[in-house]
Amino acid sequence: MYDPTVARLTYRALLGRRRALILGVLPLLLLVIAVAVRALAGVDDQTAADVLGGFALATMVPIIGVIAGTGAIGPEIDDGSVVYLLSKPVKRPTIIFTKLIVAIAVTMVFSAVPTFLAGLILNGNGQQVAVAYTIAALVASIAYAALFLLLGTVSRHAVVFGLVYALVWEALFGSLVPGARTLSVQQWSLAVAQKVADGNLVTSDVGLPTATVLLVGVTVLATWYAGQKLRSLTLAGEE
């Protein structure tokens, strides 16, 4: 299910000079904010949770997921170079699964690592805040990568749709409409993080069992459907 050649090509596409610079902007900004907040406000657990939840998990992780997930396959479909890949004797689900693994790895590195470092800067992992939000970032990275990889497979406007979901649905509607939070990757990942953090600094509107089922279900279904769409794309090209 994993092809090293496909993985190498995908890593090269995602970590090219221009895309790597884009991926690095938000993590760098998070660390700068963490240093500034620590210098101005000192050590405060609630402040640390607010920064990590409000910026790292709510903004940085989904945007990086959009860049990595859609960038893993979207550009190849847009410029037609995917035909070269599909002409190789590699099963279509293997291509999707390999690209998903790469997208997850890139999203985790550029989101979970700076989240943990920012947490250490803000409050030294007091009340397990840094670890909790790092776990949330790791969990969210998997679901986001799968969702946005699917978008990159089915739409030429995947980045736009991904940003609409991440910034409009989750950030805007999720904060204004309580029911919308149930369909939020952010809330699902917070449910996992809530079990790690001490006290009530990390909370979620979704219970852990429900969040676990939704995280696994969305990841599996998105990956499966992306494989089906890639197979149909191959057939259309052959016809």
Side-chain angles (χ1 to χ4, degrees):
M1 291 297 293
Y2 182 85
D3 188 275
T5 301
V6 175
R8 184 174 65 255
L9 293 173
T10 307
Y11 275 118
R12 185 180 301 172
L14 286 179
L15 299 178
R17 181 177 302 177
R18 180 180 177 183
R19 197 175 296 271
L21 288 174
I22 296 174
L23 286 169
V25 169
L26 287 176
L28 180 60
L29 180 59
L30 172 63
L31 294 176
V32 171
I33 291 174
V35 171
V37 170
R38 174 64 183 269
L40 295 174
V43 176
D44 184 83
D45 295 338
Q46 184 60 60
T47 300
D50 291 342
V51 173
L52 296 180
F55 182 79
L57 192 62
T59 302
M60 182 184 73
V61 179
I63 290 180
I64 290 176
V66 169
I67 297 172
T70 61
I73 195 169
E76 293 176 319
I77 294 178
D78 291 341
D79 62 21
S81 61
V82 71
V83 175
Y84 171 80
L85 180 61
L86 297 178
S87 67
K88 301 301 178 182
V90 182
K91 294 181 179 180
R92 307 311 174 243
T94 298
I95 294 174
I96 289 296
F97 184 77
T98 301
K99 287 182 173 295
L100 174 63
I101 295 300
V102 173
I104 289 173
V106 171
T107 306
M108 285 182 171
V109 169
F110 282 90
S111 61
V113 173
T115 296
F116 181 67
L117 294 176
L120 292 181
I121 293 171
L122 288 165
N123 76 333
N125 195 37
Q127 298 195 54
Q128 296 294 308
V129 169
V131 171
Y133 276 104
T134 299
I135 291 175
L138 290 170
V139 171
S141 295
I142 299 173
Y144 281 133
L147 279 173
F148 299 137
L149 179 64
L150 172 61
L151 280 177
T153 306
V154 302
S155 174
R156 292 181 178 273
H157 307 289
V159 174
V160 175
F161 290 138
L163 291 176
V164 167
Y165 172 80
L167 300 180
V168 177
W169 177 263
E170 290 207 340
L172 181 59
F173 284 95
S175 62
L176 299 177
V177 184
R181 298 169 190 165
T182 306
L183 300 177
S184 167
V185 174
Q186 178 186 342
Q187 291 298 321
W188 304 342
S189 61
L190 282 173
V192 179
Q194 186 176 2
K195 297 299 180 180
V196 178
D198 298 330
N200 298 315
L201 290 175
V202 182
T203 59
S204 174
D205 293 329
V206 182
L208 182 59
T210 302
T212 303
V213 170
L214 289 172
L215 282 166
V216 174
V218 165
T219 302
V220 172
L221 287 175
T223 305
W224 172 81
Y225 191 60
Q228 296 303 306
K229 294 300 293 184
L230 192 63
R231 181 179 287 116
S232 66
L233 175 65
T234 306
L235 293 175
E238 291 173 351
E239 291 174 357

